Amino acid sequence: MCLMVQFILIVLFILSIIVLSGHNHTYKLTDLFSMTIVVLLTVTTYFSAKYILKTFISKKATVEQYRLFKFENLKHTLFLFEPLEPIEEVASVIYNKTAPDKITIIFRFDCTPCLYHLEEIIETIHAKMDIAIEFVFISWRTTLRKDLPMILHFTMLYLINPNKFLDELSQYISDYPQIDKYLSPTPEIDERAKTIIKSHVAWGAKNKINQTPTYLINNRMVNHHYKFNELVSILEANMIERKTNSLL
């Protein structure tokens, strides 16, 4: 599209020179070619300079974003409350547990925005970043009967095979809202699954979680304006800063 605009501008420029200089003047082919080259170089230089300037501004914005992603600059806007009491360890559904920082996602299986974010979260787990990812399954009192079969299905799956839990969660996201196959009764319920479900639902009620998805960083609730990928960037910046300080 840009090349077409340049071509049209060149043709109009040449025609305007011919008209303004009068019809009696005879132009050689080499004159027209030289004028075309000059105009083409001018226009190309303009668009190239515009692209370089745009790239520079974008990189500068990225650097500024990195600076703002430091914890000390975010503490007044990132976190909403004091740290919450964590889910008891026996009920924790967590990946990369030994990582120095943890992101907790509190979600429901019939929450469309939650499912959108879950795709990014699963990719982060597969990328094996130095961040622990914890899932908290909750439900509202009015939707518990509907949510319970899915919570139970995925809790059992996590206990049996954490990797398969992620694979099936990805499939669930692809299938949604056609989720009938996930609603079939579980033939045998593990007591550990009951403990996890009761703990998660009770924890959500105790901490008055009324919106999903909700994120926590190291058990502190995050402002709802932040997206998951921004939280990952915040933690990455914090890790780089910690490593840099440890070398000084």
Side-chain angles (χ1 to χ4, degrees):
M1 186 69 180
C2 289
L3 290 175
M4 181 62 71
V5 172
Q6 291 182 37
F7 176 75
I8 293 171
L9 288 173
I10 291 167
V11 172
L12 291 174
F13 179 75
I14 293 171
L15 289 174
S16 65
I17 291 176
I18 293 172
V19 171
L20 292 173
S21 59
H23 300 287
N24 296 327
H25 187 79
T26 303
Y27 285 93
K28 295 180 181 178
L29 185 60
T30 52
D31 294 334
L32 295 176
F33 180 74
S34 298
M35 285 190 290
T36 302
I37 293 296
V38 170
V39 175
L40 184 60
L41 284 173
T42 303
V43 174
T44 303
T45 302
Y46 166 76
F47 281 104
S48 298
K50 183 179 178 182
Y51 174 78
I52 292 170
L53 181 61
K54 184 178 179 181
T55 303
F56 172 77
I57 292 172
S58 176
K59 288 184 176 180
K60 187 176 180 181
T62 301
V63 172
E64 179 66 12
Q65 185 182 48
Y66 172 84
R67 185 185 69 79
L68 292 173
F69 275 169
K70 291 185 177 182
F71 266 126
E72 63 267 24
N73 297 328
L74 284 169
K75 60 185 178 181
H76 298 299
T77 59
L78 178 63
F79 300 117
L80 295 178
F81 308 109
E82 291 301 309
L84 303 179
E85 185 178 329
I87 293 274
E88 54 184 324
E89 189 172 346
V90 69
S92 182
V93 177
I94 191 168
Y95 289 82
N96 200 15
K97 183 178 179 180
T98 59
D101 293 303
K102 177 180 71 174
I103 297 178
T104 301
I105 174 171
I106 305 163
F107 74 102
R108 293 178 298 114
F109 283 99
D110 65 341
C111 162
T112 303
C114 298
L115 300 183
Y116 173 78
H117 289 276
L118 281 173
E119 291 182 329
E120 294 180 348
I121 293 166
I122 292 169
E123 289 175 5
T124 301
I125 294 172
H126 286 315
K128 299 187 183 299
M129 300 176 67
D130 200 17
I131 300 172
I133 303 293
E134 182 182 43
F135 296 92
V136 176
F137 314 128
I138 68 166
S139 179
W140 315 135
R141 182 177 297 176
T142 55
T143 62
L144 183 58
R145 186 181 293 275
K146 183 179 69 173
D147 295 341
L148 192 57
M150 285 172 292
I151 296 175
L152 183 59
H153 174 85
F154 282 99
T155 303
M156 291 283 290
L157 201 58
Y158 173 80
L159 292 171
I160 296 167
N161 188 333
N163 289 326
K164 193 171 181 182
F165 167 88
L166 295 176
D167 294 338
E168 186 127 348
L169 191 55
S170 295
Q171 187 60 49
Y172 175 87
I173 295 167
S174 300
D175 293 340
Y176 190 84
Q178 306 301 324
I179 56 172
D180 291 346
K181 68 178 183 180
Y182 300 96
L183 301 176
S184 56
T186 305
E188 186 177 346
I189 301 176
D190 191 317
E191 287 299 319
R192 292 177 300 167
K194 291 181 180 179
T195 300
I196 290 173
I197 294 169
K198 289 178 180 177
S199 178
H200 285 204
V201 173
W203 181 89
K206 177 183 176 181
N207 291 292
K208 298 179 180 178
I209 305 298
N210 55 18
Q211 179 176 336
T212 56
T214 292
Y215 294 105
L216 278 65
I217 287 183
N218 299 332
N219 301 318
R220 296 188 68 179
M221 191 178 295
V222 173
N223 191 309
H224 294 294
H225 294 295
Y226 286 92
K227 298 177 182 177
F228 175 77
N229 57 357
E230 292 175 330
L231 300 183
V232 171
S233 298
I234 289 169
L235 290 181
E236 283 184 315
N238 193 52
M239 288 176 206
I240 293 169
E241 185 180 13
R242 279 204 304 254
K243 290 177 181 178
T244 302
N245 290 340
S246 66
L247 295 174
L248 297 178

